[in-house]
Amino acid sequence: MSSDDAEPTQRMPRDPADPAATREFTTDRPVAGPVVPPDEATKPLPSEEVTTPLTAAASAPLSSNGASSGAPGSGPAGAAGSGPAGAAGSGPPVSALTPPAPGSGTTPLARPGGNSQYRQAERSMTQRSFGQGSSSGNGQAAFRPVYQGQAWPTQQLTYVPPPPLDWHQQQARAYTPAPPPKSSRVMTIAAIVALIVGLIAGAGAAATVVALDNNAPADDQSGPAIGTGADPKIRSGSVSAVAATLLPSVVQLKVEGADDSNATGSGFVIDNAGHILTNNHVVSGAAQGGSIQVVTEKGKTSTARLVGRSPAYDLAVVQVVGLAAPSVQFGQSDKAIVGQDVVAIGSPLGLAGTVTSGIVSAKNRPVTAGGEGEISYINALQTDAAINPGNSGGPLVDMNARVIGVNSAIATVRGATEGSSGNIGLGFAIPIDQARRTAQQLIADGKASYPVIGANVDMEFNGDGARVDQVNAGSPAQRAGLRPGDVITSINNQLVGSAEALIVAIRTHRPGETIRLDYERGGKPRQANVTLGQQIG
């Protein structure tokens, strides 16, 4: 039953002689009564009818005991401050188990000291206290007693369910502002711009790759066109593709000399007229008579004629009219780098069509080669591709199937007899840039020239540099002021460590070019500009 349906109750004064004492409330504990602000607790009651907090019919008269709610001051509890319980704070203690005296609890009580003892300590927003009672807007719990003498607070707490498992993630998302939405038009424009930039960058990258990988044959100033075969267009890095492309252009040479000497070697086709480039020491036995047989990949044998040879560079050209073999394409040896992959093709020990692979081990290696009485000086490419007797004259090619050198010599173990030494990982090839010029001269004139300074050097000198042993009269060296005993230390700022190194460095140039020589005379450094002469050989 609600308090609105309660019947009026009679307020009976407590008998002071009642021995059944009840629990007393101390002065610091609140007693039943309406909660009013502290500043209103000391105001006197208005001169009107006093009602109880537990009944809606508080204005009805009491029973026949004479306790009326009439005028204040009448009866035992009519007037405030009179009667056994009229005055606030006087009389016997109020019990929560026995009915209070008439009029008790009608005086407004001061507001309790707060609810801090009933609340948990304050926490941060991310450490909320769940399962606690709800409070009013001012942080204090709203309380109104249900019966006289009710202890504060006893109202039913409001249950707050525990947070979800992802509560912290929800809080983080709640405090993270969402990025402003982009309009579809802006996104479309950005996509178009990115596509255009990607196409431009792709084209630039392709152009860069083509530029860096441009190993097309360099045009020469004079002579017939050689080494201009069809572009192989193979996948770079495949030895099998390189071999399949070059093998039809590589031939085996079998030479019989007039003195009954025999030699075998290799060569490769350099034009559509049947010209084949090889080493001079392979065909030199047939220079004074004899025969040269050419065997193609398909096994067809043809007789070749000697077009010309250059002992100075250990190069020679032979020709087979109507040769059914494609021409190779030349690369550029000056663009070769140490460590790049290469393939060597030839007929080592008479085994035609042998393919080996390796790398470029070094560049500008001064090497002497050639037959007996015909010494060649080569500024060679060094490779560890297997080269053996019979590989001489074969091509050294890059991974784009372009020829960058002519295999010419191998290093042998000291003390090994001629023909008994094999590959030890030190092979040497004539750079194709030099071979091209020499081959063009041989095809055009049957002979080739090489540059000279007109001085002899001491091959037994063990010091640093090349010591001049003799200066020819009227030679470029004499005109430049060189004398016997001068020690040449560099050519065009390229250090010279020996007599062989000086000869090789000079032969990388062409007749008519001017070079600068640094030399020492009597321990004092000097310089001289020398215009190179030429010599046939």
Side-chain angles (χ1 to χ4, degrees), residues 203-229:
T208 303
V209 171
V210 171
L212 292 177
D213 198 30
N214 183 15
N215 290 326
D219 294 334
D220 197 74
Q221 289 79 0
S222 61
I226 58 175
T228 57

Side-chain angles (χ1 to χ4, degrees), residues 14-364:
R14 178 180 175 276
D15 186 1
D18 185 4
T22 58
R23 181 167 56 93
E24 296 183 358
F25 291 95
T26 59
T27 56
D28 60 344
R29 295 290 302 273
V31 295
V35 179
V36 297
D39 57 331
E40 295 181 4
T42 57
K43 294 182 181 181
L45 292 174
S47 299
E48 59 183 10
E49 185 175 70
V50 180
T51 60
T52 65
L54 298 179
T55 177
S59 60
L62 298 179
S63 59
S64 59
N65 63 358
S68 172
S69 58
S74 61
S82 63
S90 62
V94 180
S95 172
L97 301 178
T98 59
S104 63
T106 59
T107 303
L109 300 178
R111 184 175 181 175
N115 62 351
S116 60
Q117 57 183 328
Y118 302 101
R119 294 187 295 112
Q120 294 182 352
E122 294 294 333
R123 294 185 180 183
S124 64
M125 292 298 294
T126 58
Q127 295 178 332
R128 290 170 44 186
S129 176
F130 297 96
Q132 303 299 325
S134 60
S135 301
S136 61
N138 58 4
Q140 300 293 334
F143 171 72
R144 185 175 297 275
V146 178
Y147 56 88
Q148 293 294 333
Q150 178 185 4
W152 187 92
T154 59
Q155 73 267 28
Q156 181 67 32
L157 298 177
T158 303
Y159 175 74
V160 179
L165 296 178
D166 61 341
W167 181 81
H168 290 285
Q169 289 81 353
Q170 294 180 11
Q171 292 294 312
R173 288 193 296 267
Y175 286 96
T176 303
K182 297 182 179 180
S183 65
S184 59
R185 180 178 181 184
V186 173
M187 296 181 65
T188 302
I189 294 176
I192 295 175
V193 171
L195 178 60
I196 295 175
V197 171
L199 291 176
I200 294 175
T208 303
V209 171
V210 171
L212 292 177
D213 198 30
N214 183 15
N215 290 326
D219 294 334
D220 197 74
Q221 289 79 0
S222 61
I226 58 175
T228 57
D231 189 347
K233 295 182 180 179
I234 67 169
R235 180 175 64 87
S236 179
S238 172
V239 176
S240 60
V242 171
T245 302
L246 265 296
L247 280 173
S249 302
V250 180
V251 298
Q252 181 183 26
L253 276 69
K254 297 179 179 181
V255 180
E256 293 182 1
D259 56 355
D260 294 331
S261 62
N262 296 315
T264 59
S266 305
F268 51 95
V269 182
I270 59 176
D271 61 12
N272 295 327
H275 289 106
I276 299 170
L277 183 61
T278 186
N279 283 140
N280 174 66
H281 71 265
V282 172
V283 297
S284 60
Q288 304 299 326
S291 65
I292 302 173
Q293 301 293 319
V294 172
V295 182
T296 64
E297 180 201 21
K298 296 180 180 181
K300 183 179 179 179
T301 302
S302 303
T303 300
R305 73 176 184 94
L306 180 61
V307 175
R309 62 191 186 101
S310 173
Y313 291 113
D314 193 24
L315 291 171
V317 174
V318 299
Q319 183 182 22
V320 176
V321 178
L323 180 64
S327 171
V328 300
Q329 188 178 60
F330 287 170
Q332 292 178 269
S333 55
D334 62 341
K335 291 186 177 181
I337 59 175
V338 174
Q340 79 172 69
D341 294 327
V342 290
V343 174
I345 304 177
S347 303
L349 304 178
L351 302 174
T354 299
V355 178
T356 59
S357 63
I359 63 170
V360 174
S361 304
K363 295 179 63 177
N364 302 320

